């Protein structure tokens, strides 16, 4: 899925490290200097916080961090040398997932690369990270997770710099099994929702709005699409993503989804549902409003609606 940006002029340390990775387990007992070290830091299985100041002067070690949740954060203060971050979610199935990261607005001191097929590809440069950086997504083709490299930028002083970001793994497939609540929360799902998923979505989503599509824009570099919505009615929203224009104008709001979903502009009214990630609205179920009404009314007549929904 991902369109990758190559990175010319990578420091010599990282390519040589990648060359060693396939045979690293066999080499570790005989290596005089360990290239990969687990360094102390404040960590749980979801997030990590550490500092490059804890490193020994002259060390060529690359600090390795393991994060085993589907979402969390990393904060690297005073970046030095390189940090290898392994996102290893405890996912039972081997289905592909999509990893999305959002750098902090004050991201400084490092660049982020993703390891793909033994090569590093630039995801976030320090120059870009210093600005408000959009979410970047890329696919994971291995159930073992994704490896990110944070390469510290050369610094002339010891002033405070922090390279931090949030991460989240989005499922590309629906979740099998009878857990309907879990099914309704499947994130960034490209296929249409079935009736049960739709009924659960109106109960459990972070936002539920009725509206029409003003425009759809695609960002191939960050592998995302944005749907700009004219809102007729806000049934629920967790935060103020959908807002009224100044002077009592119409309600509007942006909704994001993955580029691979190939969202297109369509006419008519839709019921948009979804969840918030990184403070942004991400698309879940989005049926045409007339189709949703038929499904909901039929379920209500059978007493099979999981929650009440305001029809008027």
């Amino acid at each position: 899925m991902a369109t990758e940006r190559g990175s010319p002029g990578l420091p010599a340390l990282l390519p040589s490290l990648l060359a060693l990775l396939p045979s690293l387990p066999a080499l570790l007992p005989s290596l005089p200097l360990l290239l990969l070290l687990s360094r102390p830091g404040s960590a749980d299985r979801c997030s990590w916080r550490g500092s490059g100041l804890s490193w020994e002067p002259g060390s060529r070690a690359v600090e390795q961090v393991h994060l085993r949740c589907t979402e969390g954060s990393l904060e690297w203060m005073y970046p030095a040398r390189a940090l290898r971050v392994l996102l290893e979610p405890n996912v039972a199935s081997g289905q592909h997932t999509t990893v999305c990261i959002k750098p902090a607005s004050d991201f400084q001191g490092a660049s982020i690369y993703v390891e793909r097929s033994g090569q590093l590809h630039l995801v976030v440069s320090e120059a870009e990270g210093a600005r408000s950086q959009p979410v970047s997504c890329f696919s994971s083709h291995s159930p073992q997770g994704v490896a990110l490299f944070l390469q510290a930028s050369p610094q002339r002083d010891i002033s405070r710099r922090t390279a931090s970001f949030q991460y989240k793994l989005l499922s590309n497939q629906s979740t099998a099994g009878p857990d309907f609540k879990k099914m309704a929360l499947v994130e960034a799902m490209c296929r249409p929702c079935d009736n049960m998923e739709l009924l659960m979505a109106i109960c459990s989503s972070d936002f539920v709005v009725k509206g029409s599509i003003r425009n759809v824009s695609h960002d191939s570099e960050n592998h995302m699409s944005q749907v700009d919505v004219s809102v007729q009615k806000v049934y629920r929203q967790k935060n103020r993503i959908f807002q009224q224009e100044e002077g009592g104008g119409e309600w509007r709001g942006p909704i994001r989804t993955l580029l691979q979903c190939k969202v297109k502009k369509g006419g008519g009214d839709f019921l948009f549902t979804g969840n918030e990630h990184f403070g942004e609205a991400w698309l879940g179920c989005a049926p045409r409003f007339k189709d949703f009404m038929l499904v909901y009314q039929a379920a209500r007549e059978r007493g099979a609606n999981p929650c009440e929904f305001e029809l008027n």
Side-chain angles (χ1 to χ4, degrees):
M1 179 190 77
T3 303
E4 298 161 343
R5 289 181 284 171
S7 176
L10 285 176
L13 170 63
L14 295 182
S16 62
L17 171 61
L18 285 174
L20 285 173
L21 287 177
S23 58
L24 190 57
L27 290 174
L28 282 177
S30 59
L31 280 177
L33 292 175
L34 297 182
L35 293 178
L36 292 176
L37 293 178
S38 293
R39 306 284 299 185
S42 174
D44 54 32
R45 298 176 70 86
C46 302
S47 302
W48 180 88
R49 185 173 186 266
S51 171
L53 296 180
S54 63
W55 289 40
E56 297 179 4
S59 171
R60 296 182 66 244
V62 174
E63 183 170 2
Q64 186 159 235
V65 174
H66 295 261
L67 299 176
R68 295 185 171 89
C69 295
T70 55
E71 61 180 290
S73 62
L74 180 140
E75 184 179 11
W76 191 25
M77 298 175 291
Y78 302 102
R81 291 175 290 282
L83 188 70
R84 187 171 190 255
V85 182
L86 294 173
L87 303 179
E88 303 170 312
N90 185 18
V91 178
S93 71
Q95 294 176 341
H96 297 179
T97 57
T98 297
V99 178
C100 295
I101 64 173
K102 181 174 179 61
S105 58
D106 58 350
F107 184 99
Q108 284 185 307
S111 296
I112 303 177
Y113 304 87
V114 61
E115 178 187 329
R116 300 291 296 274
S117 303
Q119 295 183 337
L120 297 181
H121 299 271
L122 183 64
V123 177
V124 178
S125 70
E126 181 180 20
E128 292 174 339
R131 303 192 300 269
S132 179
Q133 179 75 1
V135 177
S136 295
C137 299
F138 38 88
S139 59
S140 166
H141 297 283
S142 169
Q144 282 71 44
V146 172
L148 300 176
F149 277 93
L150 277 72
Q151 174 64 37
S153 305
Q155 307 292 349
R156 295 182 179 180
D157 54 55
I158 200 171
S159 60
R160 171 71 176 267
R161 293 176 177 84
T162 302
S164 60
F165 62 84
Q166 297 172 278
Y167 73 89
K168 185 166 289 194
L169 279 74
L170 307 180
S171 172
N172 292 346
Q173 303 289 337
S174 73
T175 303
D179 187 349
F180 294 127
K181 182 176 181 182
K182 194 171 184 180
M183 290 174 66
L185 295 177
V186 171
E187 301 155 337
M189 197 162 47
C190 293
R191 66 167 181 79
C193 296
D194 62 29
N195 290 351
M196 179 54 71
E197 291 169 330
L198 174 56
L199 292 172
M200 287 303 304
I202 63 173
C203 304
S204 58
S205 295
D206 290 339
F207 65 88
V208 181
V209 300
K210 176 186 178 182
S212 58
I213 300 175
R214 291 177 52 87
N215 184 50
V216 177
S217 57
H218 304 289
D219 183 351
S220 59
E221 187 173 10
N222 292 298
H223 322 298
M224 294 193 309
S225 298
Q226 178 170 301
V227 182
D228 295 316
V229 176
S230 292
V231 177
Q232 298 175 26
K233 185 173 182 61
V234 177
Y235 294 98
R236 180 170 64 253
Q237 63 172 324
K238 187 176 180 180
N239 294 305
R240 291 182 54 80
I241 292 176
F242 303 95
Q243 298 187 35
Q244 189 175 26
E245 293 181 330
E246 294 183 4
E250 66 175 340
W251 285 72
R252 294 185 181 181
I255 302 176
R256 293 183 177 272
T257 189
L258 299 178
L259 184 66
Q260 69 190 50
C261 294
K262 300 179 181 179
V263 175
K264 297 180 181 179
K265 182 177 179 179
D269 295 333
F270 295 83
L271 186 72
F272 297 98
T273 71
N275 292 290
E276 290 189 23
H277 305 298
F278 312 111
E280 299 171 339
W282 283 67
L283 187 63
C285 301
R288 291 190 177 276
F289 192 79
K290 61 180 182 179
D291 295 334
F292 158 71
M293 291 293 291
L294 293 175
V295 171
Y296 179 76
Q297 289 174 339
R300 193 178 187 187
E301 291 174 0
R302 300 192 312 270
N305 54 311
C307 67
E308 288 294 325
F309 184 79
E310 181 183 358
L311 293 176
N312 296 325

